[in-house]
Amino acid sequence: MRRCSEGLPKIRTSIFSFRIKLMAEGELKDMEQFFDDLSDSFSGTEPEVHKTSVVGLFLRHMILAYSKLSFSQVFKLYTALQQYFQNGEKKTVEDADMELTNREESERKMEKEELDVSIREEEVSCSGPLSQKQAEYFLSQQASLLKNDETKALTPASLQKELNNLLKFNPDFAEAHYLSYLNNLRVQDVFSSTHSLLHYFDRLILTGAESKSNGEEGYGRSLRYAALNLAALHCRFGHYQQAELALQEAIRIAQESNDHVCLQHCLSWLYVLGQKRSDSYVLLEHSVKKAVHFGLPYLASLGIQSLVQQRAFAGKTANKLMDALKDSDLLHWKHSLSELIDISIAQKTAIWRLYGRSTMALQQAQMLLSMNSLESVNAGVQQNNTESFAVALCHLAELHAEQGCFAAASEVLKHLKERFPPNSQHAQLWMLCDQKIQFDRAMNDGKYHLADSLVTGITALNSIEGVYRKAIVLQAQNQMSEAHKLLQKLLVHCQKIRNTEMVISVLLSVAELYWRSSSPTIALPVLLQALALSKEYRLQYLASETVLNLAFAQLILGIPEQALSLLHMAIEPILADGAVLDKGRAMFLVAKCQVASAASYDPLKKAEALEAAIENLNEAKNYFAKVDCKEQIRDVVYFQARLYHTLGKTQERNQCAMLFRQLHQELPSHGVPLINHL
């Protein structure tokens, strides 16, 4: 009896090996028959294996896993089984040969076998030996991190390597293809992202995942949403013609299937593609109404946000826009759409900055940053690495830089760089912000060569902004004809694309170019055009800046009294919400107008006017010192020295003259009249 029990393992091993050999040397149907036989072992009044036993649970788990495999996966399993059997046979033959060969050949074959084993082990490790649940958890975790906190996700290269390992083992894993698509979007790889997106929908259709959940409708659903996602992808990369073709295909399939939800998404993307048209707001209003009708709060809210943005650029009043955003906020809170709450607050920040209300913009940005996310995210991830937070932080950095708080702006930018690394999808926002702040500081410091070197980086991130800043550098370097040509081309382009804010900025630069070329009369019509546009579109800050330039033109033309009355209209918004540099320019201009108006006063009244002008010059100098604008400080101290000389204050005059000489040696004047420089 003891001998019989000792022989049982050998018998069972031989039976198992025989069955493996039968399947490996046979056909695919032999392996299918094997699993069918396993299922039969549980049937009958006295089954061979009980379902609740350890072996029974293992076999049931194995049968269930096999049933879930697609045809291509079954074939791969059969191929792996054949390879396993062949490797076992080969090893047996090699072991027999080693006994018959000499020691040297034996060692050589052992080294070769070890090398083969190491290669096979490497292949197994690269093939991603993860179970289905482990792979699904990994994909869902990385997708969540990419959405909410990209810094905690794997780097693009590491994540793609892991995905390639998963796809090498299971090329029909649709979710892995979709995560690959998201990963390629991070690095702006249009070819790979398109390739992965198409593979995702191909595998989704081939595996029948949609058909199982939605019946016969699943196949068509995958096709129309594939076309819709492809349109969105092309739109993101600026391929508008291809996006329109893909969108037309999605609309056609959705109409055939009577899919109102898909059609509503298509309608939203139609607006995105045609938002430069004058009648696009009609399409957008229709989209919002339809989204509300079909119970799609997310799309309805996005439509309201887009409508508010469009009406802000069209010059609608701020109170109406804020009322519309308040209605959308109610929708957000009702449906707990935390991501859209963040977008709404970031939108308010941008609108207040557009209208020149920096204090309100600062308040909204800080409100967004202090908010806690409503959406619970696993692994301690907070939903604070979205585009909304990047936009708010960039506004915050620019607002601090405008007030001369460069250390605070640098801290904000440092935090942005940590939160949004250079390879993240929102990194371009802080890159452009950083370049613009550096450019402004270089211009204020009179380092035009440094500012010129920054233009290339700005142009790569925003071509319009780059061309405008190039023109500013040329103008500062006294290359008037080149600057004028560049500004005229930019003006035509911005008028064509209806970028009103940039049109006004270009008009102001053209006017400055004219009066710096001693042609103030030519600058007046340009300034009036800029003033009309800024009033029409309710751009209060640009309107105030235009009035400052008009006042300066009147001062040059010899009518300082009218210039002073104009300044009283514009100086309050400048001092309340303006940048420190503009505050200094405004106070400097007030002092110039006071001095010019005092020319016809009696001696006592003239002395009082000059004293008031000196006080305004001191205030202007303090403003310029905050932003380290040495060129403007030089002009202020020159003007102060002249006034002190007129008042007979020799000591104060000498101090200002000495400071002027130091600055003038450091910063040549480029031939611009110092008194007339704004």
Side-chain angles (χ1 to χ4, degrees):
M1 189 70 179
R2 186 177 178 182
R3 287 181 185 177
C4 183
S5 62
E6 289 176 354
L8 280 176
K10 296 181 180 180
I11 295 172
R12 289 170 184 167
T13 304
S14 62
I15 294 173
F16 177 73
S17 302
F18 175 75
R19 195 59 185 263
I20 293 289
K21 181 178 181 181
L22 183 65
M23 289 189 290
E25 295 180 348
E27 298 179 355
L28 183 60
K29 64 180 182 180
D30 295 317
M31 187 177 73
E32 293 178 356
Q33 185 63 41
F34 171 73
F35 282 96
D36 291 339
D37 294 342
L38 282 181
S39 300
D40 294 339
S41 61
F42 297 106
S43 60
T45 55
E46 293 184 2
E48 298 177 9
V49 180
H50 290 283
K51 291 183 178 181
T52 56
S53 66
V54 176
V55 177
L57 289 173
F58 174 75
L59 293 178
R60 286 166 62 194
H61 181 74
M62 188 169 67
I63 293 168
L64 182 62
Y66 178 77
S67 300
K68 288 184 176 181
L69 296 178
S70 63
F71 177 76
S72 60
Q73 292 171 330
V74 170
F75 182 75
K76 284 186 176 294
L77 176 62
Y78 181 67
T79 306
L81 182 65
Q82 287 181 319
Q83 185 67 34
Y84 169 77
F85 178 75
Q86 291 172 5
N87 290 340
E89 289 289 320
K90 182 179 178 181
K91 185 177 181 182
T92 304
V93 173
E94 287 179 354
D95 290 342
D97 290 343
M98 279 195 301
E99 294 177 2
L100 302 175
T101 55
N102 56 34
R103 185 187 182 99
E104 186 177 350
E105 288 182 356
S106 176
E107 290 178 357
R108 180 174 56 83
K109 286 191 177 182
M110 287 178 63
E111 290 176 1
K112 183 179 184 300
E113 185 181 355
E114 289 175 359
L115 181 61
D116 290 341
V117 170
S118 65
I119 291 173
R120 286 197 297 272
E121 288 176 353
E122 185 180 354
E123 288 176 354
V124 170
S125 64
C126 291
S127 64
L130 296 178
S131 67
Q132 184 76 11
K133 289 185 178 180
Q134 287 175 324
E136 288 175 357
Y137 174 74
F138 171 75
L139 295 177
S140 62
Q141 183 191 47
Q142 291 299 315
S144 177
L145 290 172
L146 288 182
K147 179 186 175 184
N148 300 307
D149 197 352
E150 194 176 338
T151 55
K152 293 185 179 180
L154 293 176
T155 62
S158 300
L159 180 56
Q160 195 60 44
K161 183 179 178 181
E162 294 295 330
L163 290 173
N164 290 339
N165 289 341
L166 284 175
L167 292 171
K168 183 179 179 182
F169 178 72
N170 185 3
D172 294 330
F173 202 172
E175 290 78 4
H177 284 288
Y178 191 78
L179 186 59
S180 177
Y181 155 70
L182 295 178
N183 190 44
N184 287 310
L185 279 182
R186 297 166 70 189
V187 292
Q188 306 295 313
D189 188 346
V190 60
F191 175 78
S192 298
S193 55
T194 307
H195 180 78
S196 297
L197 181 64
L198 294 176
H199 271 287
Y200 165 69
F201 282 101
D202 287 344
R203 297 311 188 276
L204 202 64
I205 294 169
L206 289 172
T207 55
E210 288 288 319
S211 299
K212 289 176 184 176
S213 59
N214 298 293
E216 294 180 359
E217 174 63 16
Y219 180 78
R221 187 176 187 274
S222 296
L223 287 179
R224 55 183 176 269
Y225 278 100
L228 181 61
N229 278 272
L230 190 60
L233 176 64
H234 284 306
C235 188
R236 174 166 183 161
F237 286 105
H239 307 154
Y240 299 114
Q241 188 175 1
Q242 294 93 323
E244 192 169 352
L245 291 173
L247 195 58
Q248 288 174 1
E249 180 69 13
I251 292 171
R252 183 186 63 80
I253 303 174
Q255 285 175 339
E256 291 176 356
S257 306
N258 201 24
D259 187 347
H260 295 289
V261 176
C262 184
L263 284 172
Q264 191 55 43
H265 282 278
C266 293
L267 188 59
S268 302
W269 279 105
L270 269 179
Y271 162 72
V272 174
L273 290 175
Q275 60 183 332
K276 297 299 181 182
R277 296 200 302 261
S278 58
D279 60 342
S280 60
Y281 72 94
V282 178
L283 191 67
L284 188 56
E285 289 176 351
H286 182 65
S287 172
V288 173
K289 291 177 183 177
K290 284 288 186 181
V292 173
H293 175 72
F294 290 113
L296 302 171
Y298 194 92
L299 273 182
S301 177
L302 283 178
I304 294 172
Q305 300 283 346
S306 300
L307 201 57
V308 166
Q309 186 183 72
Q310 188 187 60
R311 288 179 175 174
F313 289 132
K316 300 297 179 182
T317 55
N319 60 332
K320 292 182 179 178
L321 299 180
M322 293 303 159
D323 285 342
L325 287 174
K326 181 185 68 176
D327 295 338
S328 70
D329 286 342
L330 292 175
L331 200 64
H332 302 156
W333 291 106
K334 181 180 178 181
H335 297 279
S336 298
L337 301 174
S338 56
E339 183 181 354
L340 294 183
I341 294 172
D342 298 344
I343 293 174
S344 177
I345 297 176
Q347 183 96 288
K348 291 175 187 176
T349 305
I351 289 173
W352 283 124
R353 280 207 74 193
L354 179 68
Y355 286 158
R357 301 286 187 176
S358 60
T359 306
M360 293 299 298
L362 188 64
Q363 181 191 42
Q364 291 295 326
Q366 291 175 340
M367 182 188 299
L368 177 58
L369 297 178
S370 62
M371 279 186 61
N372 292 322
S373 173
L374 298 177
E375 182 178 348
S376 59
V377 184
N378 294 328
V381 178
Q382 297 295 325
Q383 191 181 356
N384 56 4
N385 278 30
T386 57
E387 185 179 10
S388 306
F389 275 81
V391 170
L393 286 168
C394 287
H395 281 304
L396 207 59
E398 290 180 353
L399 287 168
H400 278 90
E402 286 177 358
Q403 299 305 316
C405 304
F406 295 114
S410 298
E411 287 297 321
V412 175
L413 286 170
K414 181 182 177 182
H415 182 67
L416 270 165
K417 293 174 184 178
E418 293 174 355
R419 180 173 285 186
F420 302 95
N423 58 3
S424 63
Q425 56 183 333
H426 304 310
Q428 290 186 358
L429 294 171
W430 65 256
M431 288 179 181
L432 179 60
C433 175
D434 188 19
Q435 295 281 318
K436 285 163 68 175
I437 292 174
Q438 289 185 45
F439 177 89
D440 291 336
R441 293 193 68 177
M443 290 296 295
N444 293 341
D445 204 19
K447 298 177 180 178
Y448 303 135
H449 63 286
L450 179 58
D452 194 22
S453 66
L454 292 168
V455 168
T456 305
I458 296 174
T459 307
L461 298 167
N462 188 325
S463 58
I464 294 176
E465 191 74 32
V467 173
Y468 174 66
R469 303 219 171 214
K470 178 66 176 179
I472 291 176
V473 173
L474 291 174
Q475 187 174 323
Q477 293 174 338
N478 252 17
Q479 301 179 37
M480 298 302 179
S481 58
E482 291 84 353
H484 185 264
K485 290 177 183 177
L486 211 55
L487 288 171
Q488 289 298 327
K489 290 180 181 178
L490 183 59
L491 181 61
V492 172
H493 177 69
C494 291
Q495 287 173 340
K496 184 179 179 181
I497 64 173
R498 299 181 181 178
N499 188 345
T500 309
E501 189 178 6
M502 183 56 73
V503 166
I504 297 171
S505 299
V506 171
L507 288 173
L508 292 178
S509 297
V510 170
E512 183 180 354
L513 189 146
Y514 285 145
W515 58 251
R516 287 187 66 171
S517 303
S518 302
S519 304
T521 53
I522 305 176
L524 283 175
V526 178
L527 290 171
L528 291 173
Q529 183 184 356
L531 183 61
L533 282 172
S534 55
K535 292 284 186 182
E536 179 185 353
Y537 290 92
R538 291 178 171 82
L539 304 176
Q540 178 185 312
Y541 188 71
L542 285 174
S544 301
E545 194 173 342
T546 307
V547 171
L548 284 182
N549 282 273
L550 276 169
F552 183 68
Q554 290 181 335
L555 176 63
I556 296 176
L557 292 172
I559 42 178
E561 294 81 6
Q562 292 187 18
L564 204 55
S565 63
L566 268 179
L567 279 174
H568 290 310
M569 294 169 49
I571 200 166
E572 184 178 347
I574 294 287
L575 295 178
D577 294 297
V580 169
L581 185 60
D582 291 331
K583 291 177 183 179
R585 287 172 174 168
M587 297 308 298
F588 192 13
L589 183 56
V590 168
K592 289 180 180 180
C593 292
Q594 287 174 333
V595 173
S597 301
S600 57
Y601 294 170
D602 57 80
L604 184 60
K605 192 176 179 181
K606 181 178 180 180
E608 292 177 356
L610 295 183
E611 289 288 352
I614 288 174
E615 291 181 6
N616 288 329
L617 287 172
N618 283 328
E619 188 174 353
K621 184 168 64 175
N622 292 333
Y623 284 134
F624 292 140
K626 285 184 179 180
V627 290
D628 197 25
C629 191
K630 296 179 181 178
E631 187 176 353
Q632 296 281 7
I633 295 174
R634 177 194 62 184
D635 296 347
V636 169
V637 296
Y638 170 79
F639 202 35
Q640 279 184 317
R642 294 284 297 271
L643 294 180
Y644 281 130
H645 179 74
T646 304
L647 293 172
K649 296 184 177 182
T650 308
Q651 185 176 358
E652 290 85 351
R653 179 203 66 188
N654 291 342
Q655 288 178 351
C656 291
M658 181 181 66
L659 183 57
F660 166 76
R661 183 179 180 182
Q662 291 174 353
L663 292 172
H664 190 62
Q665 288 175 347
E666 185 178 347
L667 299 168
S669 64
H670 298 293
V672 180
L674 294 172
I675 290 292
N676 294 336
H677 192 62
L678 177 60

